[in-house]
Amino acid sequence: MAVEHALARLRRMHVIRFFEEAAAEAWFAGKVRGSVHQSIGQEAVAVGICEGLRRDDWLASNHRGHGHAIAKGADPRAMMLELYGRRGGTCGGKGGSMHIADFSVGMLGANGVVGDGVTLALGAAHAAVIQGQDRIAAAMFGDGAMNRGPLLEALNWSAAIALPILLVCEDNHYSATTRTADVTAGPGPIARAEAFGLYAESVDGNDLDAVIEASTRVAARVRETRGPVFLHCRTYRWRGHFAPDKGAYRDPEEHARLMANDPIARYAAVLAAAGVEAGAIARVEEEARAEIAAHVADAEAAPWPEEREAFTDVQDLGAPDELARWVVA
């Protein structure tokens, strides 16, 4: 085991979890507008999938996308500024929680429409084919998206014209506030993907090493065959659908049992069993906690964007700069 590399993976999962906790705390304090959807409990999927991707590969996310962005290489500080709506945010403080994008690391963005991130990734994969590039696209979506039309259309199109895309179903048991199994017909996501002719497999999404192995292998398959692969990651989200949702619709005993299968604790135990010192394991957790605390402080102290910036980054149907000068004046 490459200890430094393994500790870096553990630290990344901690950064994602502390970021999610801080984002929710800021929402409850009224410092963050809009919705905040946490992915606590799902950190191994984000880190493991991105381990199998190159920096120039594309990744499209969903409404629960903070972890995906961090794992792909987006700057957590800029992301926190974005949540607070401040200058220096990933999208200039104008996108917020569900629209974080960073093309410099291949992050196409989060998406508030269930399943639509998949169609964006499909377009990126098609562009790679047209441009003769060997990069691939990956799409992250939940089990609830398996019942959405755009997802099924994407499965069909990816196979019909053989696009280099890795379709990752992050199965956390619930579609918003409904148990997915209660509203989904048939034997499950794998069978649906195979029905469209895709190669598909399932992995324990709370086992970081297993996700890394699967992601690395199937991403290589996508790159080599220039065709789609479907990867089903079994995990569980600890929090409700969004920050104020207390999850009262879940069975308390099942909830406690599934939370006990903590991907971060599991990976820390793997490192300990391999002989990594307890002090080193604890240190990366404290470093991650301190990092996010510093980002929160920076975000709270950062200036708001200038008024004219509300008119940038929009489709130019005339002269937005002129309009900005007129409105601000």
Side-chain angles (χ1 to χ4, degrees), residues 135-189:
R135 61 170 41 172
I136 68 173
M140 309 289 289
F141 53 92
D143 39 304
M146 292 301 299
N147 290 327
R148 297 279 295 175
L151 188 282
L152 299 177
E153 293 171 4
L155 291 176
N156 178 66
W157 195 241
S158 69
I161 63 172
L163 293 178
I165 184 169
L166 173 59
L167 297 144
V168 182
C169 179
E170 197 169 12
D171 190 339
N172 62 23
H173 289 63
Y174 281 87
S175 306
T177 59
T178 302
R179 185 187 298 273
T180 308
D182 294 341
V183 294
T184 304

Side-chain angles (χ1 to χ4, degrees), residues 106-150:
M107 182 62 186
L108 288 173
N111 198 306
V113 180
V114 176
D116 268 11
V118 182
T119 60
L120 295 178
L122 202 69
H126 204 161
V129 172
I130 293 172
Q131 296 171 6
Q133 301 173 337
D134 73 337
R135 61 170 41 172
I136 68 173
M140 309 289 289
F141 53 92
D143 39 304
M146 292 301 299
N147 290 327
R148 297 279 295 175

Side-chain angles (χ1 to χ4, degrees), residues 53-324:
L53 301 176
R54 295 192 323 218
R55 183 181 178 88
D56 66 336
D57 287 334
W58 295 114
L59 178 69
S61 182
N62 58 8
H63 54 281
R64 205 177 307 282
H66 303 147
H68 305 151
I70 291 172
K72 192 62 174 71
D75 179 6
R77 179 182 181 276
M79 288 175 58
M80 192 63 73
L81 289 168
E82 183 64 30
L83 263 64
Y84 274 74
R86 303 305 176 93
R87 190 184 306 170
T90 314
C91 300
K94 297 187 291 185
S97 174
M98 288 194 288
H99 301 95
I100 290 174
D102 185 349
F103 288 6
S104 70
V105 297
M107 182 62 186
L108 288 173
N111 198 306
V113 180
V114 176
D116 268 11
V118 182
T119 60
L120 295 178
L122 202 69
H126 204 161
V129 172
I130 293 172
Q131 296 171 6
Q133 301 173 337
D134 73 337
R135 61 170 41 172
I136 68 173
M140 309 289 289
F141 53 92
D143 39 304
M146 292 301 299
N147 290 327
R148 297 279 295 175
L151 188 282
L152 299 177
E153 293 171 4
L155 291 176
N156 178 66
W157 195 241
S158 69
I161 63 172
L163 293 178
I165 184 169
L166 173 59
L167 297 144
V168 182
C169 179
E170 197 169 12
D171 190 339
N172 62 23
H173 289 63
Y174 281 87
S175 306
T177 59
T178 302
R179 185 187 298 273
T180 308
D182 294 341
V183 294
T184 304
I190 291 290
R192 287 196 179 181
E194 290 177 338
F196 285 98
L198 277 73
Y199 172 80
E201 61 179 76
S202 187
V203 66
D204 180 353
N206 283 7
D207 181 339
L208 180 58
D209 283 332
V211 179
I212 291 172
E213 189 281 327
S215 173
T216 302
R217 177 168 40 79
V218 297
R221 180 186 178 116
V222 172
R223 205 178 307 278
E224 178 181 350
T225 66
R226 310 309 290 168
V229 169
F230 185 95
L231 183 61
H232 176 237
C233 298
R234 307 181 306 275
T235 185
Y236 184 70
R237 64 168 162 87
W238 289 15
R239 302 292 187 261
H241 176 55
F242 64 119
D245 174 18
K246 298 184 182 301
Y249 43 84
R250 298 191 284 202
D251 175 73
E253 292 185 5
E254 178 190 58
H255 183 54
R257 175 175 56 81
L258 292 173
M259 282 184 61
N261 185 21
D262 180 354
I264 295 180
R266 282 181 64 174
Y267 194 63
V270 168
L271 300 192
V276 179
E277 294 181 357
I281 294 173
R283 187 158 51 251
V284 296
E285 178 177 357
E286 291 308 311
E287 289 173 354
R289 188 191 305 274
E291 176 187 342
I292 296 303
H295 297 337
V296 169
D298 286 348
E300 294 185 349
W304 298 100
E306 296 180 9
E307 290 182 53
R308 68 175 307 279
E309 292 180 32
F311 299 92
T312 61
D313 305 313
V314 296
Q315 184 176 0
D316 188 351
L317 298 177
D321 283 344
E322 290 296 326
L323 180 61

Side-chain angles (χ1 to χ4, degrees), residues 41 49 88 109 126 273 325:
I49 292 299
H126 204 161
R325 282 193 286 272

